[in-house]
Structures are given as structure tokens and as C-alpha cells.
Amino acid sequence: MKDKAIDRVVLVSRSLLIFFSIFMLTLGIVFAWPFISIEDTPDGLKYTQTTTDNGVTLHVLQTKPDYITLLTINENVVRSGFPGINGGFFWEDQLLSIAVMDGVPVNGSVKEYGSGWFNTKYDRGTMVFDRITKKVDVQRVASAGDLTMTDETKFWAQGGVSMNLRDDNRWYQIAIDEEGLPFPGDNRLRSAMAYDTSGDIYLIVSSTKCTAKQFRTAIKSSVAAGKLQEGIFLDGDGSSQLLAGNVKLKGDSRTVVQMIAVNGEKR
């Protein structure tokens, strides 16, 4: 009887050990899954998610400017299959923000309306990467023809609305009164593009509906540990979309004209 009791204790102990091991393995898979799946994205792309003190949840893709490609997709970013986020403003199949790759607008011909050559109606903040100098900056322009770069065939430019991350006093006036940021006071999904002191690019989408001010505050407090130099607001609300591995933010499932893709290959 004593031997049988000991056997039962050993059996129960082994069963508990097996159960505990399976439980811990399952728990590990659940919590590690986003990071495992992110390995399916290109080299040079880092994904992070954070909820800031003001309650805004941000999804951030960090990459190098050489890895950026601006694409016309006429599709939802999630359905496109390309890692990245949505781009600038649009109406139907026409781009209302600059989107130019190496001198060529991504949605048509040079100087053609809706092609990505113009920031329609306003001089707006446009992020520019000069492939010669390897420098990133934000320039306020009405068209790609007004941009300053070293070589007109070796750059990319993405239009939006200036965030003026280092000017807390005047950013709102500039964004709304001078550059026409849509619905700044509404609680909406938001998207942005920024760069830091080392030149890294941050593609940012909120999964929390918030005002433009709350979104900007969340970015300043949590992205790049205070090293951000400048950024631009991109299209928002249902157009705020992101794809990175198993992380899929489809906005309201709408189709967008253009996206900012991370291809993981230097151009």
C-alpha cells in the first residue's frame, strides 16, 4: 500500500509538472506571438506598441530612410501585403499630397493634378530624404518643384501637414490655420511620419481615437526618447492603416490611394 501511495504521488507530481510546462509554453507563445510574427517583415524594420500617459495607443515602425518606398496601391494597406502605413491625403483616385520617388510622382505624371506632384490648396509640411547627402528634413511647399535637394532624380518626398515638434507655441496655428489640417479637434484615428537626430524614420499610427493635440503629445512623450527632430501628420481616421507581420490595423477597411512601404532594401 505504501508503494502504491508513493507511485500516486510521483504520478501526480509528474502530471502537475507537465501541466505547468504546457501552461508556461502556451503563455509564452501568446505573449511572444507578435514578436515572432514580426520576423516575417523586412530586415531593418522594428515594430513597437505603447500606450502613453494620455491614454493614446501608438503603433510605431522604425526604419532607415533608404528602406522607404512610396507606392500607389488603391487598396487597404492591410490587404496590399506591403509592410508600412498609409500615406497622404486623397480624394477618390487622386492624391492631394506630394508623393514623389526619384523625381517621379507615384500616381501619374509630373505636374499632373492628383499625381502626387502637389500639396493641393496649401504649402504643407513635406518630408524629404536626399539620397546624396543622406539627410532628412521637412519642407513647407506647394509642389515637388519647390523642394530643395541635391539631385532631382535621387530623393523621395512625402507630403502631409507640419507637426512642428519643437515649437509647442505655434504648431497648432500653423497646422490648422496655415496648412489646413482636417478635423484637428475631433476624436479620430491618426497617422504620422517623423525622424530623429540619427535620421531614423518613424511611421506612427494610433489605434485610439484622439485629437491632433493628443496624438502629437503622445508622439513627443514616447517615440525616440525625446530625440525626434520633426514630423508630419498624414491622412487619418479610416485611412489610418498599418501592416507589420501579424499586426494589422485596417482603419475602417477603406481603400487608400497611396502608402509608405518599408521594403528593407537600399535604393
Side-chain angles (χ1 to χ4, degrees):
M1 292 293 292
K2 184 177 181 181
D3 290 341
K4 289 183 179 180
I6 293 173
D7 289 342
R8 283 199 196 93
V9 171
V10 171
L11 181 61
V12 169
S13 299
R14 286 177 178 172
S15 298
L16 288 173
L17 181 60
I18 292 170
F19 174 81
F20 181 75
S21 299
I22 293 172
F23 174 76
M24 292 302 294
L25 180 61
T26 303
L27 197 63
I29 290 173
V30 168
F31 282 99
W33 177 247
F35 305 100
I36 293 171
S37 297
I38 225 69
E39 293 177 359
D40 295 334
T41 60
D43 293 337
L45 175 62
K46 178 183 178 183
Y47 167 80
T48 56
Q49 175 185 332
T50 183
T51 300
T52 59
D53 290 341
N54 66 352
V56 176
T57 297
L58 300 178
H59 303 260
V60 183
L61 303 182
Q62 180 181 354
T63 190
K64 299 292 184 183
D66 277 312
Y67 296 164
I68 294 290
T69 301
L70 309 181
L71 299 174
T72 294
I73 57 172
N74 290 307
E75 180 59 279
N76 189 277
V77 169
V78 170
R79 295 191 296 268
S80 77
F82 299 114
I85 71 170
N86 63 286
F89 303 101
F90 65 94
W91 174 252
E92 296 182 343
D93 62 349
Q94 296 179 327
L95 274 178
L96 307 181
S97 297
I98 289 173
V100 174
M101 290 291 296
D102 299 318
V104 181
V106 302
N107 196 47
S109 304
V110 171
K111 297 185 180 180
E112 178 187 2
Y113 180 82
S115 67
W117 188 257
F118 299 102
N119 285 325
T120 305
K121 294 185 179 180
Y122 305 93
D123 289 7
R124 279 176 162 171
T126 302
M127 191 169 295
V128 182
F129 174 58
D130 188 319
R131 298 193 194 281
I132 305 299
T133 63
K134 300 298 181 183
K135 300 295 185 182
V136 184
D137 69 344
V138 170
Q139 304 176 28
R140 289 183 68 190
V141 297
S143 78
D146 301 325
L147 294 170
T148 300
M149 81 289 296
T150 306
D151 187 325
E152 294 181 355
T153 65
K154 295 181 180 178
F155 75 98
W156 57 251
Q158 173 64 61
V161 170
S162 301
M163 298 189 83
N164 283 297
L165 293 174
R166 291 177 291 175
D167 188 351
D168 289 340
N169 293 323
R170 296 184 63 246
W171 79 267
Y172 192 85
Q173 174 195 340
I174 293 170
I176 285 74
D177 296 340
E178 298 180 22
E179 298 192 23
L181 178 67
F183 309 108
D186 288 5
N187 286 319
R188 298 191 170 215
L189 301 176
R190 305 275 173 179
S191 301
M193 186 180 195
Y195 70 95
D196 67 12
T197 52
S198 67
D200 280 5
I201 299 291
Y202 298 83
L203 306 177
I204 309 160
V205 173
S206 74
S207 55
T208 305
K209 292 185 177 182
C210 56
T211 66
K213 181 178 181 179
Q214 290 170 332
F215 184 52
R216 182 179 179 274
T217 298
I219 289 172
K220 286 194 65 173
S221 68
S222 65
V223 178
K227 295 181 180 179
L228 286 186
Q229 288 288 96
E230 192 51 273
I232 56 174
F233 293 99
L234 299 169
D235 198 4
D237 205 28
S239 297
S240 289
Q241 302 166 14
L242 176 148
L243 176 64
N246 72 302
V247 182
K248 300 176 181 180
L249 305 178
K250 61 182 181 179
D252 64 1
S253 295
R254 76 178 63 173
T255 289
V256 299
V257 173
Q258 180 248 327
M259 72 173 291
I260 304 164
V262 182
N263 59 22
E265 299 175 1
K266 289 189 177 182
R267 296 173 57 87

